[in-house]
Amino acid sequence: MVLSTTEENYLKAIFKLSLKGPENISTNNIAAETQTTAASVSDMLKRLSDKQLVAYEKYKGVQLTDTGRNIAIELIRSHRLWEVFLVDKLGYKWDEVHVIAEELEHIKTPDLISRLEVFLGYPTNDPHGDPIPDAEGNIHHHEPISLNELQVAEKGIVVRVGEQSVAFLQYLDRIKLHIGSRVDVLEVNSYDNSRLVRINSTESVFLSEKVSENLIVKRI
């Protein structure tokens, strides 16, 4: 089946939205995710439905079919493997790789992705901590605990960043907080839910509630 890059990006967006809940996904949510209009989304969903990639009923939302889901997972697998390659092998920073990987993910050469995975040593997570689907499409997610759920004296290891904008990743670089960093909660401000944390047993910094919400941690 030949799909356009735009069609593939819609499938990927619908899949990502489906991870937030089992219910049908609205056109408004897809429009927000793809940064387009609800009318454009409706037109695209009709095309994808004709290709049996989504189950779509007007005003009732949409779900991916098994075929649509498999395509979306293949794209995500390719994207995240390319991000690992760009960071680990080519020396790109984690805030530089998303746009490049967006282009590379659409290369239709399954053998290339298999060889890339072997070359990289079968990584399980991309540079932002997102899980990489295996060759069978299985995805192992981290327990979704954000830093703002940790209280005073609790500790965690950062395993994923929820927001991956360039500005956010560069901010984390400035405060030396990365995947694998240890954070100790020293203080919680009841006024705005900001947190004073110690990073890797050295630097202490105040994190806003928004920043804490976007840092996924594993309790230790």
Side-chain angles (χ1 to χ4, degrees):
M1 183 185 300
V2 177
L3 299 177
S4 69
T5 297
T6 301
E7 288 172 327
E8 290 183 340
N9 285 339
Y10 266 86
L11 293 176
K12 191 170 63 169
I14 295 168
F15 176 78
K16 289 181 178 179
L17 289 169
S18 73
L19 298 178
K20 300 178 181 179
E23 68 276 1
N24 287 356
I25 299 157
S26 72
T27 54
N28 287 335
N29 287 339
I30 298 171
E33 180 72 19
T34 57
Q35 298 183 335
T36 187
T37 65
S40 296
V41 171
S42 295
D43 290 340
M44 177 58 72
L45 292 179
K46 291 175 185 176
R47 288 165 56 184
L48 295 175
S49 180
D50 289 342
K51 295 182 179 183
Q52 299 184 333
L53 299 175
V54 301
Y56 171 59
E57 189 173 351
K58 196 172 183 179
Y59 305 121
K60 292 187 178 180
V62 62
Q63 287 185 336
L64 293 173
T65 63
D66 288 343
T67 301
R69 183 179 185 276
N70 289 339
I71 292 172
I73 290 176
E74 287 175 4
L75 289 164
I76 291 169
R77 168 176 161 79
S78 175
H79 182 103
R80 293 176 181 174
L81 284 169
W82 281 120
E83 286 195 339
V84 174
F85 174 76
L86 291 167
V87 170
D88 290 359
K89 303 302 180 182
L90 297 188
Y92 281 87
K93 296 180 180 178
W94 67 341
D95 60 286
E96 298 175 326
V97 296
H98 179 74
V99 174
I100 304 172
E102 281 283 309
E103 297 180 11
L104 293 170
E105 72 183 32
H106 298 285
I107 298 174
K108 299 297 185 296
T109 312
D111 181 63
L112 173 62
I113 300 306
S114 295
R115 292 182 181 220
L116 180 63
E117 182 181 41
V118 174
F119 175 70
L120 294 172
Y122 298 95
T124 56
N125 298 90
D126 73 9
H128 311 102
D130 285 322
I132 299 174
D134 64 22
E136 285 71 45
N138 300 308
I139 306 176
H140 303 287
H141 295 281
H142 294 295
E143 185 180 358
I145 299 175
S146 64
L147 178 58
N148 71 352
E149 296 179 61
L150 298 186
Q151 301 304 315
V152 174
E154 290 192 306
K155 305 172 180 62
I157 298 291
V158 177
V159 295
R160 184 170 68 84
V161 289
E163 181 182 335
Q164 297 176 15
S165 68
V166 172
F168 183 62
L169 295 175
Q170 289 180 347
Y171 166 73
L172 295 181
D173 278 338
R174 287 197 299 273
I175 63 173
K176 298 181 174 62
L177 199 158
H178 302 102
I179 302 300
S181 292
R182 168 176 166 161
V183 287
D184 296 42
V185 180
L186 306 178
E187 179 183 328
V188 177
N189 191 324
S190 60
Y191 173 70
D192 60 2
N193 207 31
S194 61
R195 278 163 169 70
L196 176 65
V197 303
R198 182 180 294 118
I199 302 172
N200 291 328
S201 303
T202 55
E203 300 292 331
S204 296
V205 62
F206 271 104
L207 301 179
S208 70
E209 182 176 22
K210 182 177 180 180
V211 169
S212 297
E213 285 176 349
N214 281 288
L215 294 173
I216 310 305
V217 301
K218 178 176 66 175
R219 281 193 176 94
I220 57 174

